[in-house]
Amino acid sequence: MFFKIQRIVPVLLLIGTLHSCSEYQKVLKNEDVKAKYDLAQKFYEEGDMKRANRLFEQIAPKYVGKPQGERVMFFFADTYFQRGDFNMAGYQFERFVKSYPKSEKVAEASFYGAKSYFELSPRYSLDQTDTDKALIKLQSFINMYPDSEYFAEANEMAKDLTTKKEKKAYEIGKQYNKLGEFDFTFLNPAISAFDNFISDFPGSIYREDAMYYRFESATQFALNSFDRLKPERVKEAQADYNALKKQFPETKYAERAEKLLNKLTSDQQEFIQEKEAK
């Protein structure tokens, strides 16, 4: 008896699946909007977002301006999100917010629209257009819905994206700094990149690193400069050292920074001696 039941259950599941597919194909092809609506909602509740999405796509234009339109448009947007199509999800949630600004779902739609762009944000080394867009959407949500249940999650996502942008800006400076080891002309862009980073991200977790590498770039730039430019650039590099030590007295770069400062001091003394000898 047990083995018979074991054989029967898969058969019943197969029959149920075939019936569901047959019903879906039948409803998909006919013009009965109510039947499509009911089946789309059934699939949505069961988690079958692919078929629910296809049906909602067909009926969404039919419900514009009708009482069920709000519900249809929200579910339609959410099926895209649940399927991982974040481009379309972001677009459809934005449409929902614009179409139903007084809906009780507007805060949730705003959040998931912003989260869609968050999911599209690439790793820090790539173009950050979607990251910028997500930050704008998240900040707008945070400002408009401070009491939302999604507020904390939105803040965390905004923090993650800001850190990603900081990482990209910092790595640009680091890349120029590295290239400067082989080509002196890259050191000035490195200094500018670190200046921009320090100005744009005053509270960054990479601030200490940026200040050190700004000093390192400025030191190498000064040491490789023409004699007539060297005194001013040495002073600038020394000022960077003082700024680093002032803000980070126990900096992890202390030993390396001291060695660079000694090079600057030694080079400065040699320059003065040569000038006096002339």
Side-chain angles (χ1 to χ4, degrees), residues 16-31:
T17 300
L18 291 173
H19 174 73
S20 175
C21 290
S22 174
E23 181 186 17
Y24 169 66
Q25 291 297 333
K26 181 181 178 181
V27 172
L28 191 67
K29 293 175 182 177
N30 70 35
E31 299 299 320

Side-chain angles (χ1 to χ4, degrees), residues 36-54:
K36 291 177 189 285
Y37 174 86
D38 290 340
L39 189 59
Q41 185 166 287
K42 174 176 177 290
F43 284 140
Y44 181 85
E45 291 171 353
E46 291 174 351
D48 188 344
M49 297 301 168
K50 183 177 181 180
R51 289 194 285 186
N53 175 268
R54 184 79 185 280

Side-chain angles (χ1 to χ4, degrees), residues 66-132:
K66 295 182 179 180
Q68 302 98 322
E70 178 183 338
R71 183 180 180 86
V72 169
M73 185 173 278
F74 183 87
F75 285 165
F76 183 37
D78 195 42
T79 56
Y80 279 118
F81 185 87
Q82 297 298 332
R83 292 180 63 194
D85 187 345
F86 298 116
N87 271 309
M88 284 301 297
Y91 171 71
Q92 292 297 340
F93 277 124
E94 284 183 349
R95 283 189 64 202
F96 178 88
V97 171
K98 290 176 182 176
S99 301
Y100 301 98
K102 296 182 180 179
S103 169
E104 64 178 21
K105 286 282 193 180
V106 72
E108 186 176 355
S110 296
F111 171 75
Y112 280 105
K115 189 170 183 178
S116 297
Y117 289 112
F118 172 84
E119 296 291 349
L120 289 169
S121 175
R123 63 180 185 271
Y124 78 89
S125 58
L126 300 178
D127 178 74
Q128 294 299 301
T129 299
D130 284 322
T131 300
D132 292 334

Side-chain angles (χ1 to χ4, degrees), residues 188-242:
N188 200 33
I191 293 168
S192 296
F194 287 125
D195 281 342
N196 291 336
F197 176 87
I198 291 165
S199 173
D200 293 342
F201 304 105
S204 172
I205 59 173
Y206 302 109
R207 186 173 180 82
E208 180 182 358
D209 307 271
M211 291 185 73
Y212 167 74
Y213 282 108
R214 204 282 185 198
F215 168 55
E216 182 180 275
S217 299
T219 297
Q220 297 304 330
F221 192 54
L223 294 176
N224 286 280
S225 295
F226 294 114
D227 286 349
R228 61 186 176 81
L229 299 173
K230 187 170 291 188
E232 182 181 346
R233 290 176 179 175
V234 166
K235 286 182 180 179
E236 183 180 333
Q238 289 171 332
D240 287 341
Y241 171 83
N242 292 333

